[in-house]
Amino acid sequence: MQKTVPVGFEDIKRILDEDMYYVDKSLMIRNLIDHKGSVNLYTRPRRFGKTLNLSMIRRFFEEELDTEGEKIDNGYLFHKLNIAKCGGEYMAHQGKYPVISLSLKSAKQPTYEMAVASMVDEIAKEFKRHVYVLLNSCLTEHEKERFAAIMNRKAEEIEYKKALEFLSACLAQYHGKRTIILLDEYDVPLEHAHFTGFYHEMTGFIRSLFESALKTNPHLEFAVITGCLRISRESIFTGLNNLEIYSITNSWYADSFGFTEGEIKAMLSFFHLADKFEEVKNWYDGYRFGEWDIYNPWSIINYVKTALADREAYPQTYWSNTSSNSIIRELVEHADSGVRQEIEVLIAGEKIRKPVREDITYDLIFESQDNLWNFLFFTGYLKAEKKSFEDDIQYMELMIPNREVRMIYKRTILAWFDKKIKGLERTNLLRALEDGDCETFERFVSEQLLDTISFFDYAENYYHGFLAGLLKGAGNYLVVSNRESGTGRPDLILKSPSVRGCAVILELKVSNTFQGMEQECRRALEQIEEADYEAQLRAEGYRNIRKFGVCFYRKECMAVTISEEEEKVAAR
């Protein structure tokens, strides 16, 4: 029976029990044991395997019990994984510790109260998972009452801020071992709170939750925390001197999240898709964690699942359907001319050089442009190439990692442009076309080009789409693009609803030099006349027909029209 691809499955036990395809990351367990870090923070972009790895860590270390206190054996899960080959000194840790596992990824509510309620619900569920401690005499009656109140969501907010510390103490008393604490996507509540307006309140709740559990907690064996962004010690991890941070710039654990090239080739080969490797590399490779080249795992497993159903299916931007793209939208919407130029450089596949700062907070993202570029880097929308130091400041050359992410930028830019155009007053543009006012038309279009973000390397298709977007929805005119007329295809035609009104023909050209723009405009007008583009318009009954030769060079637009005298000469 063919193995299935585990799209959306985040529990290693279910993946292995149901014989789904699993990329073995169990050597991360060996590194955890060897490093003996007290509190370990791993920052990676969303959907890079953080939740699945935490489930692996929990299933390995936890002395898991059911609600009646009966042991649940998870040892068999690891018999065929790489950690089992590391020797008995590592396997001796399997199933030996109490574990608290808490995910904060669901705290995305629109208010502080609702977000806290969501986290309270998750905390209560974790208490209920360990309800067996109430069956033992290790707890006092007061502790049992406190435990039950938290589990039943009847405790005060302060009790939930200290809940992890309390639960670790209860578990340590019951099991006779210090507790391992796993916290998944710790910064999701902070990110969402920032964009919805209650960041500082949420920071206070998270800080209290973490401080009580991770700082001077005698019942803590070690902790593993995952998130997207490294938050400064001052904002969340105040005084937490035992914090080890492993970001995407660190070589430790670099291959533990995401897929390496070897893992990709093995996976494609297993599913008889080895011939798809170059396509996969083009679309989903490009990340650099420490010294490792890493592929986006969410996109890979979705690609493989799609390809198994249809080998000829076109690659998709799977990651954009799960990750928050609001930060790119913020970048585009608030970009000044310099930032717009940098975005164009990135989309063209080139690099920009920026200082690197890891300890930023969400409330400082828009304090400076460099902070925003850093956020895009650490969240996976940019990758770092060459590193350098200047005046003790680390710099990196940043670029878009792959084709998938480049598509996210392009779609965001197009959506922003459409939104921008809808609110743009275009009366002067239409009047210029109706009156044959080339100077006003040129100035209006050039201003919009300067105020937007270009891609497609300034090819004619880009300008065609840009001008069509600018004209659509302007007044009552119908915009017709590349429609057959006469013996050829005019680039754009504008038609008033009534044939008594005006019709406009625009033929577009692109010049390689500023000096050559006028000549290209004249050539466009000659094409309009020679191909008799106005034939269909005359047949429909239009008599007031304007014809423009339009040329673009980078962010400049030039237009030439046929004067009334030239029209008379042409008619004779």
Side-chain angles (χ1 to χ4, degrees), residues 253-434:
Y253 299 95
D255 61 337
S256 296
F257 301 88
F259 295 160
T260 65
E261 188 160 293
E263 290 166 342
I264 292 295
K265 289 182 175 179
M267 187 177 188
L268 293 176
S269 178
F270 180 87
F271 288 106
H272 307 292
L273 296 170
D275 58 308
K276 297 288 187 179
F277 174 72
E278 290 302 324
E279 183 172 70
V280 166
K281 186 176 180 66
N282 181 31
W283 273 82
Y284 309 116
D285 186 18
Y287 295 95
R288 187 81 174 171
F289 296 170
E291 301 302 318
W292 287 81
D293 289 322
I294 299 294
Y295 289 67
N296 183 328
W298 175 253
S299 299
I300 293 296
I301 60 176
N302 276 278
Y303 173 91
V304 170
K305 185 173 183 178
T306 301
L308 288 174
D310 179 6
R311 288 185 60 88
E312 304 307 316
Y314 193 72
Q316 301 295 314
T317 53
Y318 301 106
W319 197 52
S320 66
N321 295 327
T322 62
S323 301
S324 171
N325 296 328
S326 58
I327 192 64
I328 292 187
R329 187 168 63 249
E330 292 280 351
L331 171 73
V332 170
E333 290 182 356
H334 296 96
D336 57 22
S337 59
V339 173
R340 285 195 292 269
Q341 289 177 10
E342 289 179 308
I343 296 173
E344 291 176 1
V345 167
L346 289 169
I347 291 178
E350 299 175 16
K351 305 170 186 176
I352 59 174
R353 185 172 179 266
K354 295 294 174 182
V356 176
R357 177 185 174 186
E358 295 197 32
D359 59 340
I360 61 174
T361 59
Y362 282 98
D363 60 332
L364 297 180
I365 291 173
F366 300 107
E367 186 178 76
S368 72
Q369 199 62 53
D370 286 341
N371 284 359
L372 185 54
W373 289 122
N374 271 265
F375 186 82
L376 288 167
F377 167 54
F378 286 107
T379 52
Y381 291 103
L382 292 173
K383 74 168 181 177
E385 287 284 305
K386 186 179 178 182
K387 301 178 184 179
S388 60
F389 284 88
E390 185 177 310
D391 296 328
D392 296 325
I393 298 174
Q394 183 179 4
Y395 287 82
M396 288 188 179
E397 292 183 351
L398 303 175
M399 62 186 302
I400 295 175
N402 53 44
R403 189 170 179 179
E404 178 184 39
V405 179
R406 186 172 290 108
M407 286 296 294
I408 296 173
Y409 278 89
K410 288 183 177 180
R411 289 175 181 175
T412 304
I413 291 167
L414 291 173
W416 162 76
F417 179 71
D418 288 343
K419 178 182 176 182
K420 175 177 177 289
I421 292 303
K422 287 178 181 177
L424 183 66
E425 175 55 56
R426 288 167 283 176
T427 303
N428 290 342
L429 176 65
L430 292 179
R431 187 176 296 122
L433 290 171
E434 293 166 347

